[in-house]
Amino acid sequence: MGIIALDLGIRGAAAGLFLMIMIVILVRVRPHTTIKLLGAAMAACGAAYLIATAPFVPKSTLWWTLPILAGNPVLVWLWVRATFDDDFVLRRWHAALLLIVVGIAFAVSLGWTIWPNLARAGARLISLLALVLAVSAAAQTVRTWSADLVAGRRRLRLVIVTSSLLFIGLWAGPDLISTSSGIPGVFGSLPSAIGL
């Protein structure tokens, strides 16, 4: 029970921080740029993820919450591109990619009991896409490292590369290799709460 209480406490603190970041960006920071709006969306997804995967949250809610959260790797990738690539412009196909990922996740979530093999393949596709986007974000970060003259952004690059690759790898890796994770309950428990 002590570990669950610690898990819930860390989740509550992290979700509160994510919501505070989102509110500060939306209410106090002007003008609203692409980077800021993507940051607010990532913060909202982080808070939702922490709540949806918490212990004792009814698993029946996961069918509609997890598909929405599946779009978070796309948001992270877009935020990294907008932050570290000065020539980046948000395009319609970026929104289409986000909607496709969320659509596939809904199909997986709703079709799990009817077509389990197809749903498993869809879940692997989403995990693979999350890993590809994380590697792409890391490559973007490293590729333009030497051209960045702002010291704070250069330090932020290192944090983005390591944290996004590690967390998305822990989240998506077990789906791709068809095994359960070696760490008990990585998806939705203490290690992911600490990571976030």
Side-chain angles (χ1 to χ4, degrees), residues 94-107:
H94 294 127
L97 176 64
L98 179 64
L99 290 175
I100 288 169
V101 169
V102 171
I104 291 171
F106 267 114

Side-chain angles (χ1 to χ4, degrees), residues 8-193:
L8 292 173
I10 291 172
R11 283 176 182 279
L17 287 172
F18 278 133
L19 291 175
M20 184 184 70
I21 290 169
M22 182 190 71
I23 290 169
V24 166
I25 289 172
L26 294 177
V27 174
R28 303 196 67 182
V29 178
R30 298 279 190 248
H32 286 142
T33 62
T34 302
I35 296 170
K36 293 172 187 170
L37 292 175
L38 287 170
M42 282 187 344
C45 277
Y49 177 87
L50 284 161
I51 294 167
T53 60
F56 304 121
V57 170
K59 298 306 173 196
S60 60
T61 63
L62 294 180
W63 76 267
W64 65 270
T65 55
L66 288 183
I68 295 168
L69 300 178
N72 202 27
V74 178
L75 291 175
V76 171
W77 174 70
L78 289 173
W79 181 82
V80 167
R81 292 286 315 274
T83 303
F84 300 127
D85 183 0
D86 293 331
D87 298 327
F88 176 77
V89 177
L90 199 59
R91 307 258 183 225
R92 288 185 178 160
W93 72 267
H94 294 127
L97 176 64
L98 179 64
L99 290 175
I100 288 169
V101 169
V102 171
I104 291 171
F106 267 114
V108 166
S109 182
L110 294 173
W112 199 261
T113 57
I114 302 168
W115 303 293
N117 290 335
L118 189 59
R120 194 172 298 111
R124 284 192 180 140
L125 177 65
I126 290 172
S127 296
L128 179 63
L129 182 63
L131 284 176
V132 166
L133 290 173
V135 169
S136 175
Q140 168 67 34
T141 304
V142 172
R143 185 176 58 236
T144 56
W145 182 292
S146 61
D148 197 346
L149 301 177
V150 181
R153 261 192 350 186
R154 289 181 84 162
R155 285 191 299 272
L156 180 63
R157 288 173 185 265
L158 181 62
V159 172
I160 294 297
V161 169
T162 55
S163 64
S164 67
L165 282 177
L166 181 65
F167 190 77
I168 291 176
L170 284 174
W171 175 72
D175 282 344
L176 292 175
I177 59 175
S178 298
T179 62
S180 60
S181 175
I183 302 171
V186 164
F187 185 68
S189 72
L190 188 60
S192 70

